[in-house]
Amino acid sequence: MPAVYMMTNTGNTVIYTGVTNDLERRVWEHRQWVPGTFCGTYKITKLVYFENVDSIEEAIVEEKRIKGGSRRRKIVMIERENPE
């Protein structure tokens, strides 16, 4: 199922926003910390937000909307859906 998602590191200092058609696989891939990648550099491990959508095109539109927003707006989205 297509999804847009946000992940962070243990210190919650960075937010990575992405799109996938297989969220479980994509989270596993991020946790491999491939050198030279954003997630490898910042040690992204925690899935903090996701939203399933009807199509990959819809996920891409939502990803662009999220990426275009401020960090504060992303945190509000995360806290609304995932208060812990």
Side-chain angles (χ1 to χ4, degrees), residues 26-52:
R26 192 65 180 125
V27 169
W28 179 86
E29 289 173 352
H30 285 306
R31 290 178 177 164
Q32 299 315 297
W33 295 346
V34 175
T37 65
F38 183 89
C39 293
T41 300
Y42 293 99
K43 308 293 190 233
I44 301 297
T45 57
K46 298 189 301 184
L47 178 65
V48 292
Y49 174 90
F50 74 93
E51 179 182 346
N52 290 320

Side-chain angles (χ1 to χ4, degrees), residues 3-30:
V4 61
Y5 63 95
M6 288 187 266
M7 293 184 69
T8 191
N9 57 3
T10 55
N12 301 325
T13 58
V14 296
I15 299 173
Y16 177 89
T17 305
V19 168
T20 186
N21 63 356
D22 184 338
L23 187 58
E24 186 176 342
R25 173 190 51 82
R26 192 65 180 125
V27 169
W28 179 86
E29 289 173 352
H30 285 306

Side-chain angles (χ1 to χ4, degrees), residues 52-69:
N52 290 320
V53 294
D54 294 328
S55 69
I56 200 71
E57 293 81 11
E58 187 179 339
I60 291 167
V61 168
E62 182 64 9
E63 177 194 32
K64 288 179 181 180
R65 186 186 70 75
I66 292 169
K67 284 184 171 182

